[in-house]
Amino acid sequence: MIKVFGQTDKSFNSNGDVVINPLSAKVHKEDNGDYYLELVTGLKYYDYLTAGNVVIANTPQGEQAFRLSNPEKTGSKIEIKAWHVYYDSQNYLIADSTAVSKDCKHALIHLNNATEPQSEFSVDSDVDTVASYRCVRTSLHDAINMVLERWGGHLVRDNFDIKID
């Protein structure tokens, strides 16, 4: 069962706009890497499965939100690749910010608070490493990748919650 929500929805406690029964749904998740859903379903759901809409799918980590991109009609089916909503962090820009001598949690908080527009993500970490990082005209997504590189740890993506363990 996959629940479909609109592009601007942030609360996923209901059944959304429609519940679909896919022909196949497979989650791909790499440690600190790609995280997406491959979905195949019938054409009767085509009007709901437009680029930018959000689908909620069951994963081993519980229900997770994925943003639809490039639905393709192939005969009597729709094939879709939907990236985890974590990738929405690419839409938040950090103009110029420096996290100086901070542990990972406080570096993430500092960078998350420096975005334009204001980020809708919450961040956390239990990595004790202390380091510094300056970014200029960098997306929150790229900044988080740099934090992973400098502070170490594993990226945990849980809908709009980002954590580095």
Coordinates of all heavy atoms in Angstrom, one line a residue, residues 27-120:
V27 N 12.6 -0.4 -2.6 CA 13.4 0.7 -2.0 C 14.9 0.4 -2.1 O 15.3 -0.8 -1.9 CB 13.0 0.9 -0.5 CG1 14.0 1.9 0.2 CG2 11.6 1.3 -0.3
H28 N 15.6 1.3 -2.6 CA 17.1 1.2 -2.7 C 17.7 2.2 -1.7 O 17.4 3.4 -1.7 CB 17.6 1.6 -4.1 CG 17.0 0.7 -5.2 ND1 17.7 -0.4 -5.6 CD2 15.9 0.8 -5.9 CE1 16.9 -1.0 -6.5 NE2 15.8 -0.3 -6.7
K29 N 18.5 1.7 -0.8 CA 19.2 2.5 0.2 C 20.6 2.1 0.4 O 20.9 0.9 0.7 CB 18.4 2.4 1.5 CG 19.0 3.3 2.6 CD 18.1 3.2 3.9 CE 18.7 4.1 5.0 NZ 18.1 3.8 6.2
E30 N 21.5 3.0 0.2 CA 22.9 2.8 0.4 C 23.4 3.6 1.6 O 22.9 4.7 1.8 CB 23.8 3.2 -0.8 CG 23.4 2.5 -2.1 CD 24.1 3.1 -3.3 OE1 25.0 3.9 -3.1 OE2 23.7 2.8 -4.4
D31 N 24.3 3.0 2.4 CA 24.9 3.7 3.5 C 25.6 5.0 3.0 O 26.5 5.0 2.2 CB 25.9 2.8 4.3 CG 26.4 3.5 5.6 OD1 25.6 4.2 6.2 OD2 27.5 3.2 5.9
N32 N 25.1 6.2 3.5 CA 25.6 7.5 3.1 C 25.5 7.7 1.6 O 26.2 8.6 1.1 CB 27.0 7.7 3.6 CG 27.2 7.7 5.1 OD1 26.2 7.8 5.8 ND2 28.4 7.6 5.6
G33 N 24.6 7.0 1.0 CA 24.5 7.1 -0.5 C 23.0 7.3 -0.9 O 22.2 7.8 -0.2
D34 N 22.7 6.8 -2.1 CA 21.4 7.0 -2.7 C 20.3 6.3 -1.9 O 20.5 5.3 -1.2 CB 21.4 6.4 -4.1 CG 22.1 7.2 -5.1 OD1 22.5 8.3 -4.8 OD2 22.4 6.6 -6.2
Y35 N 19.1 6.9 -1.9 CA 18.0 6.4 -1.2 C 16.7 6.8 -2.0 O 16.4 8.0 -2.1 CB 17.9 7.1 0.2 CG 16.9 6.5 1.2 CD1 16.2 5.3 0.9 CD2 16.7 7.1 2.4 CE1 15.3 4.8 1.8 CE2 15.8 6.5 3.4 CZ 15.1 5.4 3.1 OH 14.3 4.9 4.0
Y36 N 16.2 5.8 -2.7 CA 15.0 6.1 -3.6 C 14.1 4.9 -3.6 O 14.4 3.7 -3.2 CB 15.5 6.5 -5.0 CG 16.3 5.5 -5.7 CD1 15.8 4.5 -6.5 CD2 17.7 5.5 -5.6 CE1 16.5 3.6 -7.2 CE2 18.5 4.6 -6.2 CZ 17.9 3.6 -7.1 OH 18.7 2.7 -7.7
L37 N 12.9 5.1 -4.2 CA 11.9 4.1 -4.4 C 11.6 3.9 -5.9 O 11.5 4.9 -6.6 CB 10.6 4.5 -3.7 CG 9.3 3.7 -4.0 CD1 9.4 2.4 -3.3 CD2 8.1 4.5 -3.4
E38 N 11.6 2.7 -6.4 CA 11.2 2.4 -7.7 C 9.8 1.8 -7.6 O 9.6 0.8 -6.9 CB 12.2 1.4 -8.4 CG 13.5 2.0 -8.7 CD 14.4 1.1 -9.4 OE1 14.4 -0.2 -9.2 OE2 15.2 1.5 -10.3
L39 N 8.9 2.5 -8.4 CA 7.5 2.1 -8.2 C 6.9 1.9 -9.6 O 7.2 2.6 -10.6 CB 6.8 3.3 -7.6 CG 5.3 3.3 -7.4 CD1 4.9 2.2 -6.4 CD2 4.8 4.6 -6.9
V40 N 6.1 0.8 -9.7 CA 5.4 0.5 -11.0 C 4.0 0.2 -10.6 O 3.7 -0.6 -9.6 CB 6.0 -0.8 -11.7 CG1 5.2 -1.1 -12.9 CG2 7.5 -0.6 -12.0
T41 N 3.1 0.9 -11.3 CA 1.6 0.7 -11.0 C 0.8 0.9 -12.3 O 1.4 1.3 -13.3 CB 1.2 1.7 -9.9 OG1 -0.1 1.3 -9.4 CG2 1.2 3.1 -10.3
G42 N -0.5 0.7 -12.2 CA -1.4 0.8 -13.3 C -1.7 2.2 -13.7 O -1.5 3.2 -12.9
L43 N -2.1 2.4 -14.9 CA -2.4 3.8 -15.4 C -3.6 4.5 -14.7 O -3.7 5.7 -14.8 CB -2.8 3.7 -16.9 CG -1.6 3.4 -17.9 CD1 -2.1 3.3 -19.3 CD2 -0.6 4.5 -17.7
K44 N -4.4 3.7 -14.0 CA -5.6 4.4 -13.3 C -5.1 5.4 -12.3 O -5.9 6.2 -11.9 CB -6.5 3.3 -12.7 CG -5.9 2.5 -11.6 CD -7.0 1.5 -11.1 CE -6.5 0.7 -10.0 NZ -7.5 -0.2 -9.5
Y45 N -3.9 5.3 -11.8 CA -3.4 6.3 -10.8 C -2.6 7.5 -11.5 O -2.0 8.3 -10.8 CB -2.5 5.6 -9.8 CG -3.1 4.4 -9.1 CD1 -2.7 3.1 -9.4 CD2 -4.2 4.7 -8.2 CE1 -3.4 2.1 -8.7 CE2 -4.8 3.6 -7.6 CZ -4.4 2.3 -7.8 OH -5.0 1.3 -7.2
Y46 N -2.5 7.5 -12.8 CA -1.7 8.5 -13.5 C -1.9 9.9 -13.0 O -0.9 10.7 -12.8 CB -1.9 8.4 -15.0 CG -1.0 9.3 -15.8 CD1 0.4 8.9 -15.9 CD2 -1.4 10.5 -16.3 CE1 1.3 9.7 -16.6 CE2 -0.5 11.3 -17.0 CZ 0.8 10.9 -17.2 OH 1.7 11.7 -17.8
D47 N -3.2 10.3 -12.8 CA -3.4 11.7 -12.4 C -2.9 12.1 -11.0 O -2.7 13.2 -10.7 CB -5.0 12.0 -12.5 CG -5.5 12.0 -13.9 OD1 -4.7 12.2 -14.8 OD2 -6.7 11.8 -14.0
Y48 N -2.7 11.1 -10.2 CA -2.1 11.3 -8.9 C -0.6 11.3 -8.8 O 0.0 11.8 -7.9 CB -2.7 10.3 -7.9 CG -4.2 10.4 -7.7 CD1 -5.0 9.5 -8.4 CD2 -4.7 11.3 -6.9 CE1 -6.4 9.6 -8.2 CE2 -6.1 11.4 -6.7 CZ -6.9 10.5 -7.3 OH -8.3 10.6 -7.2
L49 N 0.0 10.6 -9.8 CA 1.4 10.3 -9.7 C 2.2 11.3 -10.6 O 2.8 11.0 -11.6 CB 1.7 8.9 -10.1 CG 1.1 7.9 -9.2 CD1 1.3 6.5 -9.7 CD2 1.6 8.0 -7.8
T50 N 2.1 12.6 -10.2 CA 2.8 13.6 -11.0 C 4.1 14.0 -10.3 O 4.2 13.9 -9.1 CB 1.9 14.9 -11.2 OG1 1.5 15.4 -9.9 CG2 0.6 14.5 -11.9
A51 N 5.0 14.5 -11.1 CA 6.3 14.9 -10.6 C 6.1 15.9 -9.5 O 5.3 16.9 -9.6 CB 7.2 15.5 -11.7
G52 N 6.8 15.7 -8.3 CA 6.7 16.6 -7.2 C 5.8 16.1 -6.1 O 6.0 16.5 -4.9
N53 N 4.9 15.3 -6.4 CA 4.0 14.8 -5.4 C 4.8 13.8 -4.5 O 5.9 13.4 -4.9 CB 2.8 14.0 -6.0 CG 1.7 15.0 -6.4 OD1 1.8 16.2 -6.2 ND2 0.6 14.4 -6.9
V54 N 4.3 13.5 -3.3 CA 5.0 12.7 -2.3 C 4.2 11.4 -2.1 O 3.0 11.4 -2.1 CB 5.1 13.4 -1.0 CG1 5.7 12.5 0.1 CG2 5.9 14.7 -1.1
V55 N 5.0 10.3 -2.1 CA 4.4 9.0 -1.8 C 5.0 8.5 -0.5 O 6.2 8.8 -0.2 CB 4.6 7.9 -2.9 CG1 3.8 8.3 -4.2 CG2 6.0 7.7 -3.2
I56 N 4.2 7.8 0.3 CA 4.6 7.2 1.6 C 4.6 5.7 1.4 O 3.6 5.1 1.0 CB 3.7 7.6 2.7 CG1 3.5 9.1 2.8 CG2 4.1 7.0 4.0 CD1 4.8 9.9 3.1
A57 N 5.8 5.1 1.6 CA 6.0 3.7 1.4 C 6.5 3.1 2.7 O 7.3 3.7 3.5 CB 6.9 3.4 0.3
N58 N 6.1 1.9 3.0 CA 6.6 1.1 4.1 C 8.0 0.7 3.8 O 8.3 0.2 2.7 CB 5.8 -0.1 4.4 CG 4.4 0.3 5.0 OD1 4.4 1.3 5.8 ND2 3.4 -0.4 4.7
T59 N 9.0 0.9 4.7 CA 10.4 0.5 4.6 C 10.7 -0.3 5.9 O 10.0 -0.2 6.8 CB 11.3 1.7 4.4 OG1 11.4 2.4 5.6 CG2 10.8 2.6 3.3
P60 N 11.9 -0.9 5.9 CA 12.3 -1.5 7.2 C 12.5 -0.5 8.3 O 12.4 -0.9 9.5 CB 13.7 -2.1 6.8 CG 13.6 -2.4 5.3 CD 12.8 -1.3 4.8
Q61 N 12.6 0.8 8.0 CA 12.7 1.9 9.0 C 11.4 2.5 9.3 O 11.3 3.6 9.9 CB 13.7 2.9 8.5 CG 15.2 2.5 8.4 CD 15.4 1.6 7.2 OE1 14.9 1.9 6.1 NE2 16.2 0.6 7.3
G62 N 10.3 1.9 8.8 CA 9.0 2.5 9.0 C 8.5 3.2 7.7 O 9.2 3.2 6.7
E63 N 7.4 4.0 7.8 CA 6.9 4.7 6.7 C 7.8 5.9 6.4 O 8.2 6.6 7.2 CB 5.5 5.3 7.0 CG 4.4 4.2 7.0 CD 3.0 4.8 7.0 OE1 2.9 5.9 7.5 OE2 2.1 4.1 6.5
Q64 N 8.2 6.0 5.1 CA 9.1 7.0 4.6 C 8.5 7.7 3.4 O 7.8 7.1 2.6 CB 10.5 6.4 4.2 CG 11.3 5.9 5.4 CD 11.7 6.9 6.4 OE1 12.1 8.0 6.0 NE2 11.4 6.6 7.7
A65 N 8.8 9.0 3.3 CA 8.3 9.9 2.3 C 9.3 9.9 1.1 O 10.5 10.1 1.3 CB 8.0 11.3 2.8
F66 N 8.8 9.8 -0.1 CA 9.6 9.9 -1.3 C 8.9 10.9 -2.3 O 7.7 10.8 -2.5 CB 9.7 8.5 -2.0 CG 10.4 7.5 -1.1 CD1 9.8 6.7 -0.2 CD2 11.8 7.3 -1.3 CE1 10.4 5.8 0.6 CE2 12.5 6.3 -0.5 CZ 11.8 5.6 0.4
R67 N 9.7 11.7 -2.9 CA 9.2 12.7 -3.9 C 9.3 12.1 -5.3 O 10.4 11.7 -5.7 CB 10.0 14.0 -3.7 CG 9.2 15.1 -4.5 CD 9.6 16.5 -4.1 NE 9.5 16.8 -2.7 CZ 8.4 17.2 -2.1 NH1 7.3 17.3 -2.7 NH2 8.5 17.5 -0.8
L68 N 8.2 12.2 -6.0 CA 8.1 11.6 -7.3 C 8.9 12.5 -8.3 O 8.9 13.7 -8.2 CB 6.6 11.5 -7.8 CG 5.7 10.7 -6.9 CD1 4.3 10.8 -7.5 CD2 6.2 9.2 -6.9
S69 N 9.6 11.8 -9.2 CA 10.2 12.5 -10.3 C 10.0 11.7 -11.6 O 10.2 10.5 -11.6 CB 11.7 12.7 -10.0 OG 12.4 11.5 -9.9
N70 N 9.7 12.4 -12.7 CA 9.6 11.8 -14.0 C 8.8 10.5 -14.2 O 9.4 9.5 -14.6 CB 11.0 11.6 -14.6 CG 11.8 12.9 -14.6 OD1 11.3 13.9 -14.9 ND2 13.1 12.8 -14.3
P71 N 7.5 10.6 -13.8 CA 6.7 9.4 -14.1 C 6.7 9.1 -15.6 O 6.6 10.0 -16.4 CB 5.3 9.8 -13.6 CG 5.5 11.0 -12.8 CD 6.8 11.6 -13.2
E72 N 6.8 7.8 -16.0 CA 6.8 7.4 -17.4 C 5.8 6.4 -17.6 O 5.7 5.4 -17.0 CB 8.2 6.8 -17.8 CG 9.3 7.8 -17.7 CD 10.6 7.1 -18.2 OE1 10.6 6.2 -18.9 OE2 11.7 7.6 -17.7
K73 N 5.0 6.7 -18.7 CA 4.0 5.7 -19.1 C 4.7 4.7 -20.0 O 5.4 5.0 -20.9 CB 2.9 6.3 -20.0 CG 1.9 7.1 -19.2 CD 0.8 7.6 -20.2 CE -0.2 8.6 -19.5 NZ -1.2 9.1 -20.5
T74 N 4.5 3.4 -19.7 CA 5.1 2.3 -20.6 C 4.0 1.3 -20.8 O 3.7 0.5 -19.9 CB 6.3 1.7 -19.9 OG1 5.9 1.1 -18.6 CG2 7.4 2.6 -19.7
G75 N 3.3 1.4 -21.9 CA 2.2 0.5 -22.2 C 1.0 0.7 -21.2 O 0.5 1.8 -21.2
S76 N 0.7 -0.2 -20.4 CA -0.4 -0.1 -19.5 C 0.1 0.2 -18.0 O -0.7 0.0 -17.1 CB -1.2 -1.4 -19.5 OG -0.4 -2.5 -19.1
K77 N 1.3 0.6 -17.9 CA 1.9 0.9 -16.6 C 2.5 2.3 -16.5 O 2.8 2.9 -17.5 CB 3.0 -0.2 -16.3 CG 2.6 -1.6 -16.3 CD 3.8 -2.4 -16.1 CE 3.6 -3.8 -16.7 NZ 4.9 -4.6 -16.7
I78 N 2.7 2.7 -15.2 CA 3.5 3.9 -14.9 C 4.7 3.4 -14.2 O 4.6 2.7 -13.2 CB 2.7 4.9 -14.1 CG1 1.4 5.2 -14.7 CG2 3.5 6.1 -13.8 CD1 0.4 5.9 -13.8
E79 N 5.9 3.9 -14.6 CA 7.2 3.6 -13.9 C 7.7 4.9 -13.3 O 7.8 5.9 -14.0 CB 8.2 2.9 -14.8 CG 7.7 1.5 -15.3 CD 8.8 0.9 -16.2 OE1 9.9 1.4 -16.4 OE2 8.4 -0.2 -16.7
I80 N 8.1 4.8 -12.0 CA 8.5 6.1 -11.4 C 9.7 5.8 -10.5 O 9.8 4.7 -9.9 CB 7.4 6.6 -10.4 CG1 6.1 6.8 -11.2 CG2 7.8 7.8 -9.7 CD1 4.9 7.1 -10.4
K81 N 10.6 6.8 -10.5 CA 11.7 6.8 -9.5 C 11.4 7.9 -8.6 O 11.2 9.1 -9.0 CB 13.0 6.9 -10.2 CG 14.2 6.8 -9.3 CD 15.5 6.8 -10.1 CE 16.6 6.1 -9.4 NZ 17.8 6.1 -10.2
A82 N 11.3 7.6 -7.3 CA 11.0 8.7 -6.3 C 12.1 8.7 -5.3 O 12.5 7.7 -4.6 CB 9.7 8.3 -5.6
W83 N 12.7 9.9 -5.1 CA 13.8 10.1 -4.2 C 13.3 10.5 -2.8 O 12.3 11.2 -2.7 CB 14.8 11.2 -4.7 CG 15.5 10.8 -6.0 CD1 15.1 10.9 -7.3 CD2 16.7 10.1 -6.0 NE1 16.0 10.4 -8.1 CE2 17.0 9.9 -7.4 CE3 17.6 9.7 -5.1 CZ2 18.2 9.2 -7.8 CZ3 18.8 9.0 -5.5 CH2 19.0 8.8 -6.8
H84 N 14.0 10.0 -1.8 CA 13.6 10.3 -0.4 C 13.6 11.8 -0.2 O 14.3 12.5 -0.8 CB 14.7 9.7 0.5 CG 14.2 9.7 2.0 ND1 14.4 10.7 2.8 CD2 13.6 8.7 2.7 CE1 13.9 10.4 4.0 NE2 13.4 9.2 3.9
V85 N 12.6 12.3 0.6 CA 12.5 13.7 0.8 C 13.7 14.4 1.4 O 13.8 15.6 1.3 CB 11.2 14.0 1.7 CG1 9.9 13.7 1.0 CG2 11.3 13.4 3.1
Y86 N 14.7 13.6 1.9 CA 15.9 14.1 2.3 C 16.6 15.0 1.2 O 17.2 16.0 1.4 CB 16.9 13.0 2.7 CG 18.3 13.4 2.7 CD1 18.9 14.1 3.7 CD2 19.2 13.0 1.7 CE1 20.2 14.5 3.7 CE2 20.5 13.3 1.7 CZ 21.0 14.1 2.7 OH 22.3 14.5 2.7
Y87 N 16.4 14.5 0.0 CA 17.0 15.2 -1.2 C 16.3 16.6 -1.4 O 16.9 17.4 -2.2 CB 16.9 14.4 -2.4 CG 17.8 13.2 -2.3 CD1 17.3 12.0 -1.9 CD2 19.2 13.3 -2.6 CE1 18.2 10.9 -1.7 CE2 20.0 12.2 -2.4 CZ 19.5 11.0 -2.0 OH 20.4 9.9 -1.8
D88 N 15.2 16.9 -0.7 CA 14.7 18.3 -0.8 C 15.7 19.3 -0.2 O 15.7 20.5 -0.4 CB 13.4 18.4 0.0 CG 12.2 17.8 -0.7 OD1 12.4 17.2 -1.8 OD2 11.1 17.8 -0.1
S89 N 16.7 18.8 0.6 CA 17.7 19.6 1.2 C 18.5 20.3 0.1 O 19.2 21.3 0.4 CB 18.6 18.8 2.2 OG 19.3 17.8 1.5
Q90 N 18.5 19.8 -1.1 CA 19.2 20.5 -2.2 C 18.5 21.9 -2.5 O 19.2 22.7 -3.2 CB 19.1 19.6 -3.5 CG 19.9 18.3 -3.3 CD 19.7 17.3 -4.4 OE1 18.6 17.4 -5.1 NE2 20.6 16.5 -4.7
N91 N 17.3 22.1 -2.1 CA 16.6 23.3 -2.3 C 16.9 24.4 -1.3 O 16.3 25.5 -1.5 CB 15.1 23.1 -2.4 CG 14.7 22.0 -3.5 OD1 15.4 22.0 -4.5 ND2 13.8 21.2 -3.2
Y92 N 17.7 24.2 -0.4 CA 18.0 25.2 0.7 C 19.5 25.6 0.5 O 20.4 24.8 0.5 CB 17.8 24.6 2.1 CG 16.3 24.2 2.3 CD1 15.9 22.9 2.0 CD2 15.4 25.2 2.6 CE1 14.5 22.6 2.2 CE2 14.1 24.9 2.8 CZ 13.6 23.6 2.6 OH 12.3 23.3 2.7
L93 N 19.7 26.9 0.4 CA 21.0 27.5 0.1 C 21.6 28.1 1.4 O 20.9 28.8 2.1 CB 20.9 28.5 -1.0 CG 22.2 29.2 -1.4 CD1 23.1 28.2 -2.1 CD2 22.0 30.4 -2.3
I94 N 22.8 27.8 1.6 CA 23.6 28.5 2.6 C 24.5 29.5 1.9 O 25.4 29.1 1.2 CB 24.4 27.5 3.5 CG1 23.5 26.4 4.1 CG2 25.3 28.2 4.5 CD1 24.2 25.2 4.7
A95 N 24.2 30.8 2.1 CA 25.0 31.8 1.4 C 26.4 31.9 1.9 O 27.3 31.8 1.0 CB 24.3 33.2 1.6
D96 N 26.7 31.9 3.2 CA 28.0 32.0 3.7 C 27.9 31.7 5.2 O 27.3 32.5 5.9 CB 28.7 33.4 3.5 CG 30.1 33.4 3.9 OD1 30.7 32.5 4.4 OD2 30.7 34.5 3.6
S97 N 28.5 30.6 5.6 CA 28.4 30.3 7.0 C 29.6 29.4 7.4 O 30.1 28.6 6.6 CB 27.1 29.5 7.3 OG 26.9 29.3 8.7
T98 N 30.0 29.6 8.7 CA 31.2 28.8 9.2 C 30.8 28.2 10.5 O 30.4 28.9 11.5 CB 32.4 29.7 9.4 OG1 32.6 30.4 8.1 CG2 33.6 28.9 9.8
A99 N 31.0 26.9 10.6 CA 30.8 26.2 11.9 C 32.3 26.0 12.4 O 33.1 25.2 11.8 CB 30.2 24.8 11.6
V100 N 32.6 26.7 13.5 CA 34.0 26.7 14.0 C 34.1 25.9 15.3 O 33.3 26.1 16.2 CB 34.5 28.1 14.3 CG1 35.9 28.1 14.9 CG2 34.4 29.0 13.0
S101 N 34.9 24.9 15.3 CA 35.2 24.0 16.4 C 34.0 23.5 17.1 O 33.7 23.8 18.3 CB 36.1 24.8 17.4 OG 37.3 25.1 16.9
K102 N 33.1 22.9 16.3 CA 31.9 22.3 16.8 C 31.8 20.8 16.7 O 32.5 20.3 15.8 CB 30.7 22.9 16.1 CG 30.5 24.4 16.2 CD 29.3 24.9 15.6 CE 29.1 26.4 15.7 NZ 28.8 26.9 17.0
D103 N 31.1 20.2 17.6 CA 30.8 18.8 17.4 C 29.8 18.6 16.3 O 29.3 19.6 15.8 CB 30.4 18.1 18.7 CG 29.0 18.6 19.2 OD1 28.3 19.2 18.5 OD2 28.7 18.4 20.4
C104 N 29.6 17.4 15.9 CA 28.8 17.2 14.7 C 27.3 17.7 14.8 O 26.8 18.4 13.9 CB 28.7 15.7 14.4 SG 28.0 15.3 12.8
K105 N 26.7 17.5 16.0 CA 25.4 18.0 16.2 C 25.3 19.5 16.1 O 24.4 20.0 15.4 CB 24.9 17.6 17.6 CG 23.5 18.1 18.0 CD 23.1 17.7 19.4 CE 21.7 18.2 19.7 NZ 21.2 17.5 21.0
H106 N 26.2 20.2 16.7 CA 26.1 21.7 16.7 C 26.5 22.2 15.3 O 26.0 23.3 14.9 CB 26.9 22.2 17.9 CG 26.2 22.0 19.2 ND1 26.6 20.9 19.9 CD2 25.2 22.6 19.8 CE1 25.8 20.9 21.0 NE2 25.0 21.9 20.9
A107 N 27.4 21.5 14.6 CA 27.7 21.9 13.2 C 26.4 21.8 12.3 O 26.1 22.7 11.6 CB 28.8 21.1 12.7
L108 N 25.7 20.7 12.5 CA 24.5 20.5 11.7 C 23.5 21.5 12.0 O 22.8 22.1 11.1 CB 23.9 19.1 11.9 CG 24.7 17.9 11.3 CD1 24.1 16.6 11.8 CD2 24.6 18.0 9.8
I109 N 23.3 21.8 13.3 CA 22.3 22.8 13.7 C 22.7 24.2 13.2 O 21.8 24.9 12.6 CB 22.2 22.9 15.3 CG1 21.5 21.6 15.8 CG2 21.4 24.1 15.7 CD1 21.6 21.4 17.3
H110 N 23.9 24.5 13.3 CA 24.4 25.8 12.7 C 24.1 25.9 11.2 O 23.6 27.0 10.8 CB 25.9 25.9 13.0 CG 26.5 27.2 12.5 ND1 26.5 28.4 13.2 CD2 27.2 27.4 11.3 CE1 27.1 29.3 12.4 NE2 27.5 28.7 11.3
L111 N 24.5 24.9 10.5 CA 24.3 25.0 9.0 C 22.8 24.9 8.7 O 22.4 25.7 7.8 CB 25.0 23.8 8.4 CG 26.6 23.9 8.5 CD1 27.2 22.6 8.1 CD2 27.1 25.1 7.7
N112 N 22.0 24.1 9.3 CA 20.6 24.0 9.1 C 19.9 25.4 9.3 O 19.0 25.7 8.6 CB 20.0 22.9 9.9 CG 18.6 22.6 9.5 OD1 18.3 22.4 8.3 ND2 17.7 22.5 10.4
N113 N 20.3 26.1 10.4 CA 19.8 27.4 10.7 C 20.2 28.5 9.7 O 19.6 29.6 9.8 CB 20.1 27.8 12.1 CG 19.3 26.9 13.1 OD1 18.3 26.4 12.8 ND2 19.9 26.9 14.4
A114 N 21.2 28.2 8.9 CA 21.8 29.3 8.0 C 21.2 29.2 6.6 O 21.6 29.9 5.7 CB 23.3 29.1 8.0
T115 N 20.1 28.4 6.4 CA 19.6 28.2 5.1 C 18.6 29.3 4.7 O 18.0 29.9 5.5 CB 18.9 26.9 4.9 OG1 17.8 26.8 5.8 CG2 19.9 25.7 5.2
E116 N 18.5 29.5 3.4 CA 17.5 30.4 2.8 C 16.9 29.6 1.6 O 17.6 29.2 0.7 CB 18.2 31.7 2.3 CG 17.3 32.7 1.7 CD 16.2 33.2 2.7 OE1 16.5 33.4 3.9 OE2 15.1 33.3 2.3
P117 N 15.6 29.4 1.7 CA 14.7 29.7 2.8 C 15.0 28.9 4.0 O 15.8 28.0 3.9 CB 13.3 29.4 2.2 CG 13.6 28.4 1.1 CD 14.9 28.7 0.6
Q118 N 14.3 29.2 5.1 CA 14.5 28.4 6.3 C 14.2 27.0 6.1 O 13.1 26.6 5.6 CB 13.7 29.0 7.5 CG 13.9 28.3 8.8 CD 15.3 28.4 9.3 OE1 15.9 29.5 9.3 NE2 15.9 27.3 9.7
S119 N 15.1 26.1 6.5 CA 15.0 24.7 6.3 C 13.8 24.1 7.1 O 13.6 24.5 8.3 CB 16.3 24.0 6.7 OG 16.1 22.6 6.9
E120 N 13.1 23.1 6.6 CA 12.1 22.4 7.3 C 12.6 21.2 7.9 O 11.8 20.4 8.6 CB 10.9 22.1 6.4 CG 11.3 21.2 5.2 CD 10.3 21.2 4.1 OE1 9.1 21.2 4.4 OE2 10.7 21.2 2.9

